[in-house]
Structure formats: C-alpha cells, structure tokens
C-alpha cells in the first residue's frame, strides 16, 4: 500500500487527531447500530495503549450550524461502552473549550470532540477551520473510510497540515478492496442489486471493465428485462433508462463479459409482508404482478456462478429484502457465498447502502472476507473514483 499506517509512527505522548465516522444511527438518544464503532475500537485501544493522547473527530448527520439534536454526545457515550474505556466528551471541536480539554489530557486518555459539521468550515474545507483543528494535534490519523468521499476539513484538509496516517479500519478496508478490484483472483464476479439503475450507471460501467461476470438483481434488473422486451407487469422500472440498459448489455457482450439476469421471479400483487406470492418464469410475469425477488432457478444459477468464481464483490440486495418473504433470494445467495468463503474457495467483499443491512438479515457478515460499513464511499470506490480522504494519505 502506498500510504503510512500506525506501524510507521511513534505516537507516545503525541496528540493524535483521529478522524472516525461516528455517523451512526441514533434513536431517542441511543445508538441503535454500533458496527462502525466496533470497527474503530481496535485502533482506538491501540493508540491509547501506545500512550498517545487520542482526540476523536467526526461529523454526525447533516446539521445546518450548531444543533443540540445532532450532538455527538450520546455517540461518545457508546464509544466508551464499546471500547470499555472512559471517553471524555467536549462540547466544541475548536476554540477555547477544545484547546483546554486537549491541554489537560494525559497519555492514554481519549476525548471526543463535538460534531465538526456544527461549523460550515468543515464541509467547505475552509483553511481557517482546518488550522483551528490542526492546532489541537500533532498527527492526523484517518480511520473513516466511509467519509473518505468527502473533501472536508477533518476528512481531507488536515492531511495537508499534519503528518497523515491511515487508521487500522481504513487500512483493513483498503487492503480488502485491493484483493477485489485491483489484484483479484479470477474469475471475478459482481452482484449488483438495488432499486435503480440511474444511481448506479457509473458503477455498472466501471465494474463491467473489471469483472468476468456481472449478476444483476433488485428492481434494477426489471429495467434490463424490459429492455429485452419482456413484460414486467406492475414492477418498479425506469422506463426512460431502457435504452441505457440495452447499451450496457450490448457493451458487455462486445467486451466478452457475462451479464446474468433473473430467469424466474417471485411475484405478488403488492409489496406487503406475507402477501400471497407465486414463482413464475421470467417471461410469464402477469399484468398485475410485481417482481419482488429472484426465483429459485435464478438463485441456483447465481450460486453456480459463485462456485466457479474466486472473487466476489457485492453491492445491493436481490429483492425487496426488508419485507418477508422477499429476502429469500438474498439470504440464500449470501449463505452460499459465506460457505464458499469459509471453505477458502471465494474471497467475498460487500458494502454500500442497504447491503450491510441485507447481509445482516442473512446473518453472514462475520463470514464474508470483508463487509464495508461505508455507503457512498463504497459506491464511489466501485465507480473507480479517487476518494479525497484516501488520496491525501498517499505518500
Ligand atoms: C455516511 O454515513 O455515509 C458517511 O458518514 C457520510 O455522511 P454524509 O453522506 O452525510 O457525508
Ligand atoms: Mg451518506
């Protein structure tokens, strides 16, 4: 890797500004999913154990100015709970309160500063705001891959003013990604699901240059099916993207890539839990049917593709997985991918938006090679874009 990690720096006694992503779901003042916090826990403990002064920086939500509803205080409380160490919360991220709190730190202490987005200078990457943050530290560690697509003061700007290092979770993330798109063992398969092609055009274009097989699921498959002239009944489709879908399929054939679309589907007349469903061949979808999941033959084919592949990158569910039983296709393919991973036959990397939630439903997250907690950053990486928070770390 072309960047420095915590292996390359003596942190003892130093003030380390650690950019983490504490943008986690909170309901009524309680964190409801701590996955992102669990991922950064090893780096935080390591820094404290190596006698650093650990200063956490993060955004939370999208506040317009200071907003007590979007304070990081309850999240800092959860960080302490997860890492089983005291974490002092400071209700500002620059200025006198922050400076005093930092000056009072002892080696091994951890503090969490208030939401960086309370200042407009954060998103503007304003040099004065970057300088005010930089005053608080000697070293900047970026451990927030999921915010690395933002060129903000705490995610990018600090890397120009302070010596910059990758944190352990960002490092693990990039190492996992390298195995998948940069130096994959082939055949390389991708599963791309989700509702809309329109949000994934760049991603599909980039993936088709890299993968051997592209399996398309979710409602976006409907648009491809429609482009092939099939009837999709009342299914979710993007009619105005039919021509685009045709071109993608055409380009794939020209580039000798295999695109896999569903050959059968689970349909219902509405999207509702435990509604009456039928399994139909893909050319037998009725006028009132909605395609809500892939059918058993499509599941079996997807699994056969994984069985002959060595690497899989997965973004987006196959069906309307939030509603049962339309999570079945995703769960069955995910289970097969997890088994192949456990048997050492497949490297599996997944991430982006709904993907973690879907794979959590399937109960496979711990058995995949790597599941990223990043949403937008994972998608931009799949699109082949440079991520500012990673670029600034490059030496
Ligand atoms: C995320 O939750 O995806 C990241 O923290 C980025 O948040 P943002 O989309 O508000 O920049
Ligand atoms: Mg986001």
């Amino acid at each position: 890797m072309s960047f420095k990690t915590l292996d390359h720096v003596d942190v003892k006694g130093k003030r380390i500004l650690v950019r983490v992503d504490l943008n986690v779901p909170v309901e009524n003042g309680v964190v409801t999913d701590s996955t992102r916090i669990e991922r950064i826990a090893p780096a935080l403990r390591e820094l404290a154990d190596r006698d650093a002064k650990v200063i956490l920086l993060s955004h939370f939500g999208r506040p317009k100015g200071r907003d007590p509803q979007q304070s990081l205080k309850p999240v800092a409380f959860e960080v302490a709970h997860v890492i089983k160490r005291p974490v002092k919360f400071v209700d500002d991220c620059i200025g006198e309160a922050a400076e005093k709190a930092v000056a009072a730190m002892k080696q091994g202490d951890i503090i969490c500063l208030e939401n960086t987005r309370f200042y407009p200078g954060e998103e503007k990457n304003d040099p004065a705001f970057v300088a005010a943050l930089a005053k608080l530290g000697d070293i900047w560690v970026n451990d927030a891959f999921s915010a690395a697509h933002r060129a903000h003061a705490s995610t990018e700007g600090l890397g120009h003013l302070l010596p910059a290092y990758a944190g352990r979770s960002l490092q693990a993330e990039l190492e996992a990604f390298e195995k998948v798109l940069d130096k994959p063992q082939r055949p390389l398969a991708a599963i791309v699901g989700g509702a809309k092609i329109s949000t994934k055009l760049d991603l599909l274009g980039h993936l088709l240059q890299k993968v051997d097989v592209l399996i398309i699921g979710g409602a976006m498959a409907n648009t491809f099916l429609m482009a092939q002239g099939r009837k999709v009944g009342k299914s979710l489709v993007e009619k105005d993207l039919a021509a685009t879908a045709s071109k993608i399929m055409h380009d794939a054939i020209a580039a000798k890539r295999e695109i896999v679309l569903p050959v059968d589907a689970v349909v219902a007349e509405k999207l509702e839990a435990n509604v009456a469903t039928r399994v139909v061949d893909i050319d037998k979808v009725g006028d009132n049917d909605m395609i809500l999941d892939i059918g058993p033959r499509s599941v079996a084919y997807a699994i056969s593709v994984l069985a002959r592949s060595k690497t899989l990158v997965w973004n987006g569910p196959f069906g309307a997985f939030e509603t049962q039983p339309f999570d079945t296709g995703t769960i069955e393919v995910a289970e097969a991918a997890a088994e192949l991973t456990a048997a050492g036959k497949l490297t599996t990397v997944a991430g982006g938006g709904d993907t973690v939630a879907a794979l959590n439903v399937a109960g496979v997250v711990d058995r995949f090679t790597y599941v990223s907690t990043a949403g937008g950053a994972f998608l931009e990486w799949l699109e082949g874009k440079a991520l500012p928070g990673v670029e600034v770390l490059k030496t």
Side-chain angles (χ1 to χ4, degrees), residues 191-195 216-222 236 262 265-266 271 290-295 299 314-333 354-355 357-358 361:
I191 295 174
V192 179
I216 296 178
M220 61 190 275
N222 302 339
L236 194 61
V266 180
L271 175 54
M290 288 180 83
I291 300 173
L292 294 168
D293 197 7
I294 58 173
V299 168
W314 185 333
N315 169 256
F318 276 108
F321 80 98
E322 303 91 339
T323 310
Q324 281 182 13
F326 307 114
D327 52 356
T328 310
T330 302
I331 291 175
E332 290 181 357
V333 178
D354 279 349
T355 312
V361 169

Side-chain angles (χ1 to χ4, degrees), residues 78-95:
E78 179 67 12
V79 174
H81 179 75
V82 169
I83 66 174
K84 301 192 174 63
R85 308 261 170 115
V87 174
K88 183 181 150 78
F89 179 72
V90 182
D91 70 0
D92 210 341
C93 64
I94 55 168

Side-chain angles (χ1 to χ4, degrees), residues 21 23 36 59 62 117 146 149-150 374-377:
D21 189 354
N23 191 32
R36 281 183 175 172
H59 75 285
R62 293 176 176 172
R117 285 191 187 167
S146 48
H149 56 321
R150 308 293 182 211

Side-chain angles (χ1 to χ4, degrees), residues 71-391:
S71 169
L72 270 175
K73 193 170 185 179
V75 187
F77 188 77
E78 179 67 12
V79 174
H81 179 75
V82 169
I83 66 174
K84 301 192 174 63
R85 308 261 170 115
V87 174
K88 183 181 150 78
F89 179 72
V90 182
D91 70 0
D92 210 341
C93 64
I94 55 168
E96 213 187 308
E99 286 164 22
K100 272 195 181 150
V102 170
M105 288 178 85
K106 294 191 287 296
Q107 294 184 6
D109 281 355
I110 303 173
I111 69 173
C112 176
L113 303 182
E114 183 56 289
N115 194 345
T116 50
R117 285 191 187 167
F118 283 0
Y119 290 91
E122 164 70 343
E123 290 177 67
K124 292 197 184 108
N125 207 348
D126 170 18
F129 182 70
V130 180
L133 289 173
K135 255 174 102 174
L136 303 171
D138 305 305
I139 285 165
W140 178 64
V141 170
N142 188 5
D143 214 15
F145 175 81
S146 48
H149 56 321
R150 308 293 182 211
H152 295 173
S154 66
T155 62
E156 199 271 348
L158 280 173
H160 297 288
L161 284 196
L162 295 177
Y165 296 86
R168 294 296 183 204
S169 84
L170 185 136
Q171 181 188 348
E173 199 114 17
L174 295 182
E175 283 168 359
F177 295 171
E178 187 171 58
K179 280 189 211 153
V180 175
L181 289 197
D182 298 336
K183 296 174 189 157
Q185 280 194 288
R186 292 186 182 271
L188 166 62
I191 295 174
V192 179
K196 290 184 173 171
I197 299 183
S198 50
T199 57
K200 296 204 176 159
L201 283 174
D202 291 346
L203 183 154
L204 291 169
H206 184 241
L207 278 183
L208 274 172
Q209 293 168 28
K210 301 259 180 180
V211 303
D212 302 296
V213 189
L214 175 63
I215 303 174
I216 296 178
M220 61 190 275
N222 302 339
T223 304
F224 284 93
L225 293 168
M226 185 184 65
Q228 290 180 327
R230 295 179 199 279
K231 291 192 174 133
V232 294
K234 293 214 164 71
S235 307
L236 194 61
V237 276
E238 291 170 284
K239 288 206 175 70
D240 46 339
L241 284 176
T244 307
S246 290
K247 182 172 184 308
I248 291 173
M249 289 187 282
H250 192 266
D251 291 351
I253 291 165
K256 298 202 164 54
R257 313 291 194 216
E258 182 185 353
I259 289 197
V260 177
L261 288 168
V263 291
D264 59 353
V266 180
V267 300
E269 295 203 347
K270 55 187 171 217
L271 175 54
E272 223 175 70
N274 304 314
V275 67
T277 64
R278 288 167 21 251
V279 173
V280 296
D281 282 346
I282 212 64
D283 49 10
K284 298 271 162 40
V285 176
D287 290 344
N288 290 319
D289 287 336
M290 288 180 83
I291 300 173
L292 294 168
D293 197 7
I294 58 173
R297 287 202 297 123
S298 308
V299 168
Y301 189 71
I303 292 174
S304 77
V305 170
L306 303 190
R308 64 175 146 95
S309 300
K310 290 223 166 68
T311 308
L312 169 69
V313 55
W314 185 333
N315 169 256
F318 276 108
F321 80 98
E322 303 91 339
T323 310
Q324 281 182 13
F326 307 114
D327 52 356
T328 310
T330 302
I331 291 175
E332 290 181 357
V333 178
E335 184 55 44
E339 278 168 24
L340 288 163
T341 308
K345 293 179 178 155
L346 187 68
T347 297
T348 42
V349 173
D354 279 349
T355 312
V356 185
L359 297 181
N360 260 322
V361 169
V364 300
V365 171
D366 296 338
R367 290 181 288 145
F368 269 44
T369 309
Y370 195 82
V371 177
S372 173
T373 63
F378 187 85
L379 294 178
E380 291 197 21
W381 170 74
L382 281 186
E383 289 166 0
K385 292 197 178 129
L387 304 175
V390 172
E391 291 302 305

Side-chain angles (χ1 to χ4, degrees), residues 34-56:
S34 349
T35 314
R36 281 183 175 172
I37 299 173
E38 284 153 18
R39 294 288 175 87
I40 55 169
L44 303 187
R45 287 198 205 100
E46 175 184 340
L47 285 167
D49 289 345
R50 288 170 60 184
D51 287 331
K53 299 175 181 174
V54 184
I55 305 155
L56 305 184

